[in-house]
Amino acid sequence: GDQLRAWMSERQYTAARLGAELGVTERTVFRWRSSPRVPAFLPLALEAQAAAAPVVVEYVIPRPGNFPHDPAVGADGIVWYTDQTNSFIGRLDPATGKITDYPTPTPGSGPHGIEVAPDGYVWYTAQRTGMLGRVNPTDGSIDEFDLPYEARNPHTPLVHQGKGWFTDANNNTYGRLDPATGKVDVWTVAAPKSVPYGMYAAPDGSVWIAHLGTNQLGRVNPVTGVLAAYPLPDSGARPR
């Protein structure tokens, strides 16, 4: 509590430093209740801190020269990622550590952003070839959807109301794909060099876009595609 923080702050202690001086680690489970060297409450406090400490587990991707870019986690706990340099979509099962890679059908497509849809399918933007990709999580098969020239560098994907949405930061556009028909609608942001970047679907059904090149957020009507811009108070803000 406050007593522990004050005691450690006064002596510039951290749990790691104190543990080193006592010859133990932060994860040691202390069994004593007092010591002439530390306050009686400290071992119990360190025990609680150690129990709550986060654990970082790293998973090594076996392919040499891999370049994992964005991750996404499905409802089943499976982690998906894009290997942008080598054009693979990766699947990691954290429970077993098993990694499976699926090459994109079009070589050199440069998959960038990635999103797990509510139905479990995995969507990604193929930034170098102007496509959206959809991965079947069961067998790893991939469908590719061509985008118009004005959306030739798709950046961030978003699956919303059964449609594949995306931003194209390089070309100041955003768009929507209907996978059932292949129809693509693309809109240009009115503000020049707006750099539409991140996307998020709101509970009311609207789609929000962060404009990295300006100090604005955009709210998109999911039916008409019309964007309403909302400036942020700080003119120097660059939402991403």
Side-chain angles (χ1 to χ4, degrees):
D2 294 338
Q3 185 183 8
L4 170 62
R5 284 190 290 271
W7 187 89
M8 295 181 74
S9 175
E10 179 183 351
R11 292 157 181 79
Q12 297 183 337
Y13 268 112
T14 64
R17 177 186 166 195
L18 182 60
E21 291 189 9
L22 294 176
V24 297
T25 68
E26 290 181 70
R27 299 187 181 282
T28 299
V29 178
F30 291 95
R31 297 302 181 190
W32 64 84
R33 289 295 180 268
S34 64
S35 165
R37 299 178 62 187
V38 296
F41 60 81
L42 189 55
L44 294 178
L46 283 177
E47 179 178 353
Q49 179 178 348
V55 177
V56 177
V57 179
E58 294 183 333
Y59 300 88
V60 178
I61 300 173
R63 185 182 52 262
N66 62 79
F67 189 85
H69 194 281
D70 282 5
V73 183
D76 56 1
I78 297 298
V79 180
W80 296 84
Y81 63 91
T82 54
D83 180 344
Q84 188 171 24
T85 297
N86 301 287
S87 295
F88 282 87
I89 304 300
R91 178 188 187 276
L92 163 67
D93 183 346
T96 64
K98 181 181 179 181
I99 293 178
T100 306
D101 281 336
Y102 303 102
T104 59
T106 300
S109 65
H112 188 276
I114 193 166
E115 163 102 346
V116 180
D119 62 4
Y121 276 73
V122 180
W123 288 77
Y124 65 90
T125 50
Q127 196 170 46
R128 296 175 186 160
T129 54
M131 298 175 174
L132 290 184
R134 181 180 61 183
V135 185
N136 183 323
T138 302
D139 59 13
S141 59
I142 298 177
D143 298 316
E144 293 180 328
F145 301 89
D146 290 319
L147 300 178
Y149 181 77
E150 57 268 29
R152 59 191 177 275
N153 303 117
H155 188 278
T156 302
L158 172 69
V159 182
H160 180 52
Q161 298 178 346
K163 306 295 194 301
W165 290 79
F166 56 90
T167 55
D168 184 336
N170 290 352
N171 295 292
N172 211 44
T173 58
Y174 61 96
R176 177 186 62 199
L177 161 73
D178 185 344
T181 64
K183 182 177 184 292
V184 181
D185 296 298
V186 178
W187 296 274
T188 300
V189 180
K193 299 180 180 180
S194 175
V195 191
Y197 207 90
M199 304 186 86
Y200 191 82
D204 65 0
S206 61
V207 175
W208 287 81
I209 300 177
H211 299 274
L212 183 59
T214 70
N215 68 323
Q216 297 180 351
L217 296 177
R219 183 177 183 271
V220 181
N221 183 311
V223 178
T224 65
V226 173
L227 183 148
Y230 295 86
L232 300 175
D234 186 346
S235 62
R238 292 297 179 266
R240 182 168 176 171

